Amino acid sequence: FFFIFIGILSTLGNGYVIFMSSKRKKKLRPAEIMTVNLAVCDFGISVVGKPFSIISFFSHRWVFGWIGCRWYGWAGFFFGCGSLITMTAVSLDRYLKICHLSYGTWLKRHHAFICLAIIWAYAMFWATVPFAGVGSYAPEPFGTSCTLDWWLAQASVAGQAFILSILFFCLLFPTAVIVFSYVKIILKVKSSTKEVAHYDTRIQNSHILEMKLTKVAMLICAGFLIAWIPYAVVSVWSAFGQPDSVPIQFSVVPTLLAKSAAMYNPIIYQVIDCKFACCRSGGLKTLQKKSSLNKSR
């Protein structure tokens, strides 16, 4: 029932974000294009993965066979990795935009699309590597969904190398980039807020927009990491700890938390957009007053 709830909310929420973005696709900024790509990844997780797991949960076992298990594991890892790498790219974009202002003068939409191609290729590579015999996908300990075969690390040195590579390139390195980017952004914002107050209205409005996009990105990354870090900890525990050291009942909760990550982002978009709309309406009133004064003069 929990999966049904988050599946419906994430599908409708991310579908709404994609639909509304498609109506103004020619006006999307590079950072907004990345955000739409994140919604596509979350929508893919909801549509492709949730029905398999919901039916299996009600059946108390995985009912789609070995091929279905590998497909479900691949899809979950592909879209999950795509989400994290997209957020890494967004955090780098925000870092360069806020901390290195000259970066914003040359970044164009086609650069964002090149970045999207790299993100999808990166996710495709790591999700498909297990099919080459290096790793594998296997059922979760509770038997109603599938994931990467973390237990390969218990079997051989090659399995340990595969799991460590996945952990570094698909979790630790992207997370380190995200944390570094937003720490630098926070330090920069604290030092530059007073300076922006002395600029004219157009620069202030541009600053407000950039900060709105940065807040969205920070909240999205925080929500994603909070949802997935417990799952990653349990997975590493299963891979390198004692066999069967993770209680089956305990392994269910991080999985449910991780699968709910796709539901948070549309809520974050709406909350920030509502606040931004209030600020923007106030700024428009100020501009209208100024224009009326200029006309009267």
Side-chain angles (χ1 to χ4, degrees):
F1 285 110
F2 178 72
F3 260 43
I4 291 174
F5 175 72
I6 63 175
I8 292 174
L9 283 186
S10 59
T11 301
L12 294 178
N14 289 292
Y16 174 76
V17 171
I18 296 170
F19 173 73
M20 294 303 295
S21 300
S22 66
K23 295 176 66 175
R24 52 184 296 267
K25 56 185 177 181
K26 294 183 178 180
K27 298 181 180 180
L28 291 176
R29 300 160 63 91
E32 292 173 317
I33 293 173
M34 295 292 183
T35 305
V36 173
N37 188 65
L38 184 60
V40 171
C41 292
D42 292 338
F43 186 81
I45 292 175
S46 303
V47 172
V48 175
K50 293 295 190 297
F52 287 88
S53 53
I54 290 171
I55 294 172
S56 295
F57 268 120
F58 277 113
S59 302
H60 301 282
R61 63 185 181 87
W62 182 255
V63 296
F64 298 100
W66 177 240
I67 295 177
C69 181
R70 301 184 78 185
W71 158 251
Y72 177 89
W74 178 90
F77 186 57
F78 173 70
F79 288 115
C81 183
S83 295
L84 183 57
I85 304 304
T86 300
M87 286 185 286
T88 305
V90 170
S91 67
L92 281 175
D93 172 78
R94 295 294 86 206
Y95 164 70
L96 294 172
K97 184 71 175 180
I98 301 297
C99 300
H100 302 278
L101 298 179
S102 60
Y103 166 79
T105 60
W106 64 266
L107 180 68
K108 305 299 181 184
R109 283 167 56 93
H110 68 271
H111 294 117
F113 289 115
I114 293 173
C115 188
L116 291 186
I118 295 173
I119 290 170
W120 287 109
Y122 191 92
M124 177 67 72
F125 172 78
W126 286 108
T128 311
V129 162
F131 292 134
V134 179
S136 182
Y137 293 102
E140 301 265 18
F142 45 86
T144 53
S145 66
C146 295
T147 185
L148 280 171
D149 191 350
W150 298 98
W151 302 270
L152 286 174
Q154 302 278 357
S156 64
V157 175
Q160 292 179 357
F162 168 72
I163 296 300
L164 289 173
S165 299
I166 290 291
L167 286 173
F168 179 79
F169 290 104
C170 300
L171 179 64
L172 297 179
F173 178 69
T175 302
V177 173
I178 291 171
V179 172
F180 168 81
S181 299
Y182 289 120
V183 168
K184 297 293 287 186
I185 287 171
I186 291 170
L187 295 176
K188 182 67 175 179
V189 168
K190 284 186 176 180
S191 64
S192 63
T193 301
K194 293 181 181 180
E195 298 176 6
V196 175
H198 300 292
Y199 296 154
D200 61 28
T201 305
R202 286 180 300 176
I203 295 178
Q204 290 177 358
N205 290 339
S206 177
H207 179 73
I208 290 173
L209 177 58
E210 295 300 334
M211 291 313 301
K212 174 244 181 179
L213 294 173
T214 304
K215 287 178 180 178
V216 170
M218 291 178 69
L219 288 173
I220 288 171
C221 292
F224 185 92
L225 294 177
I226 290 172
W228 279 96
I229 289 298
Y231 182 81
V233 170
V234 171
S235 299
V236 173
W237 185 4
S238 300
F240 297 101
Q242 295 296 324
D244 301 324
S245 58
V246 180
I248 292 179
Q249 295 84 349
F250 182 73
S251 66
V252 176
V253 178
T255 302
L256 295 178
L257 181 62
K259 299 297 184 182
S260 66
M263 177 182 65
Y264 306 144
N265 295 341
I267 299 173
I268 294 172
Y269 303 150
Q270 294 305 314
V271 170
I272 298 295
D273 279 341
C274 287
K275 290 183 179 180
F276 178 65
C278 295
C279 297
R280 184 170 53 189
S281 62
L284 286 174
K285 289 179 181 178
T286 304
L287 289 174
Q288 288 172 357
K289 288 182 181 178
K290 288 186 177 180
S291 62
S292 63
L293 286 173
N294 291 332
K295 286 181 180 179
S296 63
R297 287 174 184 172

